[in-house]
Amino acid sequence: MRTDERCIDLAIDKRECIVFKLLRTEIGKLLSSDEESSILSEVQKQGSTKLPSNKSVLVLGDNATGKTTLIAKLQGVENPKKGSGLEYAYIDVKDEYRDDMTRLSVWVLDGDPGHKNLLHFALNKNNYTHTLVILTVSMTQPWFWLNQLTHWIKVLSEHIESLHLEPEEKQEARQRLVATWQSYCEVGDDLDAGSPVKRTMRNSSIDEDDLLPLTDGALLTNLGLDIVVVVTKTDYMTTLEKEYDYRDEHFDFIQQWIRRFCLQHGSSLFYTSVKEDKNCDLLYKYLTHRIYGLPFRTPALVVEKDAVLIPAGWDSLKKIEILCENMNSCKEVDYYTDIITPPPSRKAVSNREIEVQTEDEQAFLARQQEIIKQSVQVRGESPLRSQASKAMPRTPGSAGQSSPKKMEAKLNTSTPGTEGVLANFFNSLLHKKSGTPATPPSAISTPRTNGSDSLLTADKLSVRTDAAAELDRLARSVKKDVDFTQSDC
């Protein structure tokens, strides 16, 4: 296919050569030799023009707006590497018509305001007229566009003022930008080979009489630089619709606002998505068109809300007002941040478990000791038990009696009912020691628990039975307390 195209080009060149010879013969009859040589040298000079190598692109925008990813896409790099400060890259540009190739320098400035001092490496007095500026904003945070674009335009304007350019050079750059807007005309689509093209999109000379008047509201702020505003990550629009309840009129309001901004600053506008590969190739072609004068025949695209393309010079206030006709809940005069508001901040939910700090062992033991002391003070000791233990001596060999000290060690309870029963028990024992008759007349014969037969009165039998039952119950209660204390430890 390329061989056939080359043959066609050779045939055209041969035909043009014959025509050129005929014209040269006729022109030679009208012009002098000096005039003829001057015209021929000019034609030869234009025909052998190579792509310049001193052109550059400066990319500005906040962090996380996709600057590095966008440039990597234009380079054809799949895995971009994020740098810091001022990044440098280059894009290979090839002119198929001239069979020429060059490299377009690209400077990407970090979004941190502290790196503004690096701008003089990318944009200075020597390359001012050869630099195109890209301003990036992300669709993931449209509520920040107003502050971001205003900030970077201010940074760019202040930096240009610091360059101390000659007034003539600055005015010439501004006038060239105005002429670009005035000379723009509608073009046909690349997909339609038969579509008419009114004017060539290459940088050819156009008479001042053919220039159209500048539209209202255009280039109110003229920095003398070609500016392209690129909206990145337009695939996030579906997320805005689902999670933040954005509707078409919200996107229309956003688009009409940013188009007014571009109109005021003489900028082009591109909605791009590297993830879905939308408008990335068209952006590359448009950059080579604006910088090197290569053909670009794609018209403005405003139908798809996530793939908008507005070339410099195409837009006007009347075209922008078409978007406002479909807006009901908002108007074009509304302030941007009143309609496009930041969403409520969401508190980050952490799934991390709370870290437990271990307590010092000695502090833990001291605290437990204090708890034990407080428990002892609350429980106290029964006055009756203390008096009984002092008054009752130990009598070895007496059946059914136990040492008061052992009883105190085993039976440690503060229940009022229990203390009453113990008091009755010890009182009965004391009453026995005080010389009560051992064998009243109403004695009955009852077998003793130790196997020996003896005569016990009804009162003694009742007391001994009650005491044995109470001791058995207290023994079980103490056992439960001991088991509960061991389980707590």
Side-chain angles (χ1 to χ4, degrees):
M1 181 65 182
R2 186 169 297 275
T3 304
D4 297 339
E5 293 178 354
R6 179 64 64 181
C7 293
I8 295 174
D9 293 339
L10 292 175
I12 294 175
D13 293 341
K14 185 176 181 180
R15 184 178 60 182
E16 289 179 351
C17 183
I18 297 173
V19 175
F20 177 75
K21 290 181 179 180
L22 294 175
L23 291 175
R24 181 179 179 181
T25 303
E26 297 297 328
I27 293 174
K29 297 178 181 178
L30 302 175
L31 301 176
S32 61
S33 58
D34 295 337
E35 293 175 345
E36 180 181 358
S37 60
S38 176
I39 293 175
L40 292 176
S41 62
E42 184 68 22
V43 172
Q44 183 178 5
K45 181 180 179 180
Q46 293 181 358
S48 60
T49 301
K50 298 293 183 179
L51 294 176
S53 59
N54 60 345
K55 302 294 183 179
S56 62
V57 172
L58 172 62
V59 184
L60 302 176
D62 282 24
N63 291 330
T65 55
K67 302 187 297 292
T68 303
T69 306
L70 178 66
I71 297 304
K73 181 65 175 178
L74 299 179
Q75 290 179 294
V77 178
E78 295 183 357
N79 298 319
K81 295 182 179 180
K82 173 66 177 176
S84 60
L86 184 65
E87 302 178 54
Y88 174 78
Y90 63 86
I91 301 175
D92 291 327
V93 179
K94 186 175 182 180
D95 184 0
E96 299 290 345
Y97 182 78
R98 297 192 181 110
D99 195 16
D100 188 17
M101 179 179 292
T102 188
R103 285 183 174 180
L104 174 62
S105 300
V106 180
W107 300 92
V108 182
L109 183 67
D110 192 281
D112 190 345
H115 294 111
K116 292 190 298 183
N117 58 333
L118 301 176
L119 265 178
H120 69 278
F121 292 104
L123 180 61
N124 48 56
K125 190 174 182 179
N126 297 326
N127 66 352
Y128 168 73
T129 57
H130 304 289
T131 301
L132 181 144
V133 178
I134 294 179
L135 300 179
T136 60
V137 289
S138 175
M139 188 58 74
T140 58
Q141 295 177 328
W143 40 86
F144 292 147
W145 287 10
L146 174 62
N147 295 332
Q148 291 177 355
L149 292 176
T150 304
H151 166 72
W152 287 111
I153 284 293
K154 181 180 179 181
V155 169
L156 191 59
S157 178
E158 292 176 352
H159 179 71
I160 293 174
E161 292 297 329
S162 67
L163 297 179
H164 302 293
L165 299 171
E166 296 295 334
E168 295 80 7
E169 183 180 4
K170 189 182 298 184
Q171 182 61 29
E172 182 181 354
R174 293 176 177 175
Q175 190 60 37
R176 182 172 59 252
L177 189 59
V178 172
T180 301
W181 273 71
Q182 291 178 325
S183 61
Y184 178 84
C185 64
E186 298 288 345
V187 296
D189 197 339
D190 282 340
L191 300 178
D192 187 4
S195 60
V197 180
K198 294 182 180 180
R199 299 175 185 170
T200 177
M201 296 305 296
R202 302 179 71 89
N203 289 342
S204 58
S205 60
I206 300 177
D207 296 337
E208 294 183 0
D209 296 337
D210 296 335
L211 295 178
L212 300 175
L214 199 62
T215 183
D216 294 337
L219 283 171
L220 299 180
T221 303
N222 191 344
L223 300 179
L225 291 172
D226 283 340
I227 300 177
V228 180
V229 176
V230 179
V231 178
T232 62
K233 305 178 184 180
T234 58
D235 52 276
Y236 196 77
M237 285 183 172
T238 56
T239 304
L240 292 176
E241 293 175 340
K242 294 179 181 178
E243 297 186 2
Y244 301 101
D245 197 25
Y246 272 54
R247 299 183 299 275
D248 287 341
E249 59 181 348
H250 289 94
F251 296 119
D252 290 342
F253 181 83
I254 292 173
Q255 184 187 145
Q256 66 88 24
W257 179 87
I258 199 169
R259 284 172 62 178
R260 291 178 189 274
F261 177 88
C262 294
L263 182 67
Q264 178 182 350
H265 296 84
S267 308
S268 309
L269 177 63
F270 276 77
Y271 277 32
T272 64
S273 173
V274 175
K275 182 178 179 180
E276 297 183 356
D277 195 16
K278 288 189 176 182
N279 279 354
C280 295
D281 292 339
L282 292 178
L283 177 60
Y284 170 82
K285 293 181 180 180
Y286 186 76
L287 293 178
T288 59
H289 161 65
R290 293 303 300 267
I291 297 173
Y292 300 104
L294 300 181
F296 182 78
R297 296 188 177 91
T298 302
L301 304 175
V302 293
V303 176
E304 298 183 11
K305 62 183 179 181
D306 58 346
V308 177
L309 189 164
I310 308 293
W314 178 86
D315 217 351
S316 65
L317 293 176
K318 292 183 178 180
K319 295 177 181 178
I320 296 174
E321 290 175 355
I322 298 176
L323 287 172
C324 303
E325 296 176 355
N326 300 323
M327 296 188 304
N328 298 322
S329 61
C330 53
K331 299 180 181 179
E332 57 182 292
V333 295
D334 292 335
Y335 196 66
Y336 182 79
T337 53
D338 291 341
I339 305 301
I340 310 301
T341 58
S345 59
R346 299 178 179 177
K347 295 183 180 180
V349 179
S350 178
N351 293 328
R352 296 176 57 187
E353 296 182 356
I354 300 176
E355 184 177 358
V356 178
Q357 298 292 338
T358 58
E359 186 178 2
D360 183 69
E361 181 180 0
Q362 296 301 322
F364 171 77
L365 295 176
R367 185 164 55 85
Q368 296 300 322
Q369 186 178 7
E370 292 295 330
I371 294 175
I372 293 174
K373 289 180 179 179
Q374 293 176 4
S375 176
V376 171
Q377 292 176 1
V378 171
R379 296 175 68 177
E381 186 178 7
S382 174
L384 295 177
R385 186 186 303 132
S386 300
Q387 294 176 2
S389 62
K390 291 179 181 179
M392 183 177 179
R394 182 176 180 183
T395 305
S398 60
Q401 297 182 4
S402 300
S403 173
K405 294 183 179 180
K406 292 182 178 180
M407 289 291 295
E408 184 178 356
K410 293 181 179 179
L411 307 178
N412 187 12
T413 176
S414 58
T415 306
T418 305
E419 292 180 357
V421 175
L422 289 175
N424 294 332
F425 171 69
F426 286 117
N427 286 332
S428 65
L429 293 178
L430 292 173
H431 181 69
K432 177 181 178 181
K433 293 292 184 179
S434 62
T436 305
T439 310
S442 59
I444 58 175
S445 179
T446 306
R448 296 180 62 89
T449 56
N450 57 2
S452 63
D453 296 333
S454 179
L455 296 177
L456 296 177
T457 64
D459 294 336
K460 291 182 179 180
L461 181 61
S462 177
V463 170
R464 178 163 295 184
T465 304
D466 293 341
E470 184 62 17
L471 288 175
D472 183 68
R473 190 182 67 82
L474 289 176
R476 290 196 300 269
S477 176
V478 170
K479 183 178 180 181
K480 290 181 180 179
D481 291 341
V482 172
D483 294 342
F484 180 77
T485 304
Q486 289 178 354
S487 64
D488 289 345
C489 295

